[in-house]
Amino acid sequence: MNNTAIAPTPAEGWRWKQPSVIPGFGIAFGYTIVYLSLVVLLPLGALVLRASEVGLSGLVAVAFEPRVFAALRVSFGVSAVAAVVASIFGLLVAWVLTRYDFPGRKFVDAMVDLPFALPTAVAGIALAALYAPNGWVGAPLAALGIKVAYTPLGIFVALVFIGLPFTVRTVQPLIADLDRELEEAAATLGASRAQALRQVLLPPLAPAVLTGLALAFARAVGEYGSVIFIAGNLPFVSEIAPLLIVIKLSEFDYTGATVIATIMLALAFVMLFAINLLQAWSRRRFGHG
Amino acid sequence: MVDAAFERRSGSAAGVADATTERRTTRVAATLVAVAFLAFFLLLPLAVVFVEAFRKGVDVYLAAFGEPDAQAAIRLTLLVAAIAVPLNLVFGVAASWAIAKFEFAGKSFLITLIDLPFSVSPVVSGLVYVLLFGAQGLLGPWLLEHDIRIVFAVPGIVLATVFVTFPFVARELIPLMQEQGNSDEEAAMTLGAGGLRAFLTVTLPNVRWALLYGVLLCNARAMGEFGAVSVVSGHIRGLTNTMPLHVEILYNEYNFVAAFAVASLLALLALLTLVGKSILEWRFGDAISGRTAH
């Protein structure tokens, strides 16, 4: 073995960076790393450090405090249901927007991004006003005996709102890419349209639908602004985990806040990992993702 | 000709063209359900903002903006966006230059790290700065000694906003610049341009619409961020309240008209962002690489 650290020739040896005639790598890469470290990695490191002081046993102890456990259960439970509902309607909306033409289609398509663009606090007070017992939607529902605002159902409504663009936008490009010849072949071979949809068209969309679901779920679990106004924030009933972090912070219980944040962060990483696996699987299985 | 004859012979609605779409009734029903769902879940909340804001007339609506606290909130929101957006713009350009124009190990890991703030709850994004700079935080005692205030002051709000809007510009530019490759810049340099000149006259014009697109989204989020900012702000009226925080305070004081009036400004910003975004997508779809998922 010769010493490759000094001058590896292009043909042999491992290089961290490929040579290039384009200048500016050092300054661009250096700035990226420094800025990333200062803004993102250092603060997240502070959280990890604080959590490591608590230790695993402390983490588990706080997680199973009744109020914390209830908040985590509400957050994860309602987020899961909302993500599933958002995915089902997201698939329908994506299909209609991509496959059908109707007056105002471009307008409707642009509207899908509204939850991305609308500040969450604005969405929060709007939904609360809408679903309050005297609101446009809340009043008729109250007459039927259904209470939405200030219950977990209110959290569900807000999380569907927040999750919808993720589910639509993840599936939409794949529907546009579907190979028409497959449908024609299915029809030629005698499949009914329902069979073609179920057996030929929907299976390749499944990874994208699941990815959208995971994205919507991950966003919903961490969501704060659009939920707290409509939720009523009753401990053990409609109190979400992010709100409990804020409450713990206002009580100067930094440890409690850190533990809940760490649990949520850990889940965010698991979701990110799951999404990456899904997309890798989708690329292998269907050649896109 | 043959095709047409075949279609006619094979029977009315079952022609080849119809085999790749649903029955008309199914199409109409699906479209109606989808549009009704979107109108109910998206348009109705938007409409209610403006209706509630004007519930007591234009005068009361306008009076909400005459208040010094509201004006201070608007000024602070503009200030925070004016700092956070350029910072992340410069970062986005630097990161995409390093990532798209060069090959190096660990690139996809770096991209994952850049995307990280998107998967962190806004509340956690604020919390990390409290843990770092707060009175009981890592650097708290040192900051106290030197009389520097970060948390519960404007710098903390700026930092939290920079954190949540961190990936916006970078993630628009990276895929586009990767797709465009290096040949344009290499050609410019062969013709004698320096690195900086190649960047300014070749790269920047190539990515200008994607850059604008990223800035638009980054700005909307910077002005509208609530959770992260709420944790680090301390809610001092007239000093550390941004517009979304001011909306919350007014709403919790049952001052609904004023709350929805300030909210209507933010809703207007969201609508303008959507219009700008749609125009960019329709006119320059290829130039921003047509990606729409976030």
Side-chain angles (χ1 to χ4, degrees), chain A residues 5 18 34 42 61 76 92 94 96 112 114 131 139 151 156 159 181 206 208 240 248 277-278:
Chain A
Q18 300 300 313
V34 169
L42 186 69
F76 287 114
L92 175 74
V96 166
V112 169
L114 182 73
Y131 288 89
T151 71
F156 165 80
L159 294 183
E181 286 174 11
I240 53 166
K248 295 261 181 203
L277 279 186
L278 262 173

Side-chain angles (χ1 to χ4, degrees), chain B residues 267-290:
Chain B
L268 217 57
L269 168 78
L271 286 177
L272 285 177
T273 304
L274 283 187
V275 169
K277 185 173 172 299
S278 302
I279 291 174
L280 284 176
E281 278 167 14
W282 295 336
R283 291 210 38 201
F284 309 106
D286 296 336
I288 54 174
S289 83

Side-chain angles (χ1 to χ4, degrees), chain B residues 168-255:
Chain B
F168 276 103
V169 178
R171 74 173 320 178
E172 290 305 326
L173 289 186
I174 291 168
L176 178 67
M177 280 169 66
Q178 278 180 326
E179 206 178 287
Q180 286 174 344
N182 293 356
S183 46
D184 286 2
E185 285 79 7
E186 282 162 6
M189 293 178 64
T190 311
L191 296 170
L196 187 65
R197 180 139 180 241
F199 171 74
L200 290 176
T201 56
V202 177
T203 313
L204 221 47
N206 273 346
V207 299
R208 64 184 188 277
W209 298 118
L211 198 67
L212 187 60
Y213 190 88
V215 166
L216 208 62
L217 298 179
C218 184
N219 179 63
R221 181 70 192 267
M223 291 189 168
E225 178 53 29
F226 176 71
V229 168
S230 159
V231 171
V232 295
S233 134
H235 303 91
I236 307 163
R237 290 187 85 141
L239 283 178
T240 64
N241 266 341
T242 60
M243 282 167 78
L245 297 178
H246 192 58
V247 168
E248 182 197 19
I249 288 184
L250 292 171
Y251 187 86
N252 287 341
E253 288 172 349
Y254 302 100
N255 193 349

Side-chain angles (χ1 to χ4, degrees), chain A residues 16 18 22-23 25 32 35 39 50 95 100 110-111 113 126 128 131 161 164 166 180 183 193 222 249 261 268-269, chain B residues 20 22 31 40-41 43 45 88 91 95 97 102-105 119 121 127 129 136 162-163 166 231 277-278 294:
Chain A
W16 172 68
Q18 300 300 313
I22 301 206
F25 177 76
T32 302
Y35 187 77
V39 174
R50 190 96 194 188
W95 186 269
Y100 307 156
M111 284 306 298
D113 282 330
Y131 288 89
F161 174 86
L164 196 68
F166 291 93
R180 289 263 176 179
E183 302 172 51
R193 185 61 187 166
L249 265 183
F269 281 123
Chain B
T20 56
E22 288 73 51
T31 308
F40 186 79
F41 263 90
L43 280 186
N88 285 335
F91 162 73
W97 182 264
F102 302 92
E103 286 305 323
F104 56 90
S119 24
S121 166
L127 169 71
Y129 286 103
Q136 300 177 38
V162 168
F163 184 98
F166 185 81
V231 171
K277 185 173 172 299
S278 302
H294 290 287

Side-chain angles (χ1 to χ4, degrees), chain A residues 14-18 20-25 27-29 31-33 35-36 38-47 49-50 53 85-86 89-90 92-93 95-97 99-100 102 106-131 136-137 150 156-157 160-161 164 166 169-170 172-173 180 183-184 187 193 197 201 215 218-219 221-226 228-229 242-243 245-246 249 252 254 257-258 261 264-265 268-269 272 276, chain B residues 16 18-23 26-28 30-31 33-35 37-38 40-49 51-52 55 84 87-88 90-91 94-99 101-106 110 112-114 116-124 127-132 134-139 152 159 162-163 166 182 185-186 189 194-196 213 220-221 223-227 230-231 244 247-248 251-252 259-260 263-264 266-267 269-271 273-274 277-278 281-282 292-294:
Chain A
W14 181 84
R15 266 169 190 274
W16 172 68
K17 174 187 164 294
Q18 300 300 313
S20 167
V21 293
I22 301 206
F25 177 76
I27 186 167
F29 185 78
Y31 182 75
T32 302
I33 295 298
Y35 187 77
L36 176 76
L38 283 180
V39 174
V40 178
L41 301 182
L42 186 69
L44 284 177
L47 179 77
L49 196 71
R50 190 96 194 188
E53 285 169 7
V85 171
F89 279 96
L92 175 74
V93 168
W95 186 269
V96 166
L97 286 176
R99 281 305 185 98
Y100 307 156
F102 55 94
K106 279 191 163 181
F107 171 76
V108 174
D109 192 61
M111 284 306 298
V112 169
D113 282 330
L114 182 73
F116 279 149
L118 196 66
T120 53
V122 178
I125 64 168
L127 290 172
L130 209 52
Y131 288 89
W136 295 351
V137 184
Y150 322 126
F156 165 80
V157 169
V160 171
F161 174 86
L164 196 68
F166 291 93
R169 296 303 186 214
T170 316
Q172 226 174 354
R180 289 263 176 179
E183 302 172 51
E184 286 167 8
R193 185 61 187 166
L197 273 174
L201 295 175
L215 286 172
R219 173 70 200 265
V221 169
E223 182 56 26
Y224 177 69
S226 60
I228 54 163
F229 295 99
L243 177 67
I245 295 180
V246 173
L249 265 183
F252 297 102
Y254 283 20
T258 303
M264 291 177 55
L265 209 61
F269 281 123
L272 215 65
N276 281 339
Chain B
V16 172
D18 294 327
T20 56
T21 187
E22 288 73 51
R23 271 197 312 257
T26 316
R27 287 206 307 266
V28 171
T31 308
V33 170
V35 171
F37 177 82
L38 291 178
F40 186 79
F41 263 90
L42 303 185
L43 280 186
L44 216 51
L46 187 65
V48 90
V49 171
V51 171
E52 290 289 333
R55 183 172 288 276
L87 276 179
N88 285 335
V90 171
F91 162 73
S96 53
W97 182 264
I99 288 172
K101 300 292 177 194
F102 302 92
E103 286 305 323
F104 56 90
L110 182 60
T112 307
L113 286 183
I114 290 173
L116 203 56
F118 274 160
S119 24
V120 175
S121 166
V123 171
V124 178
L127 169 71
V128 293
Y129 286 103
V130 176
L131 293 180
L132 198 57
Q136 300 177 38
L138 280 178
L139 304 176
F152 309 136
L159 278 174
V162 168
F163 184 98
F166 185 81
N182 293 356
E185 285 79 7
E186 282 162 6
M189 293 178 64
L196 187 65
Y213 190 88
R221 181 70 192 267
M223 291 189 168
E225 178 53 29
F226 176 71
S230 159
V231 171
V247 168
E248 182 197 19
Y251 187 86
N252 287 341
F260 279 102
S264 73
L266 288 168
L269 168 78
L271 286 177
T273 304
L274 283 187
K277 185 173 172 299
S278 302
E281 278 167 14
W282 295 336
T292 42
H294 290 287

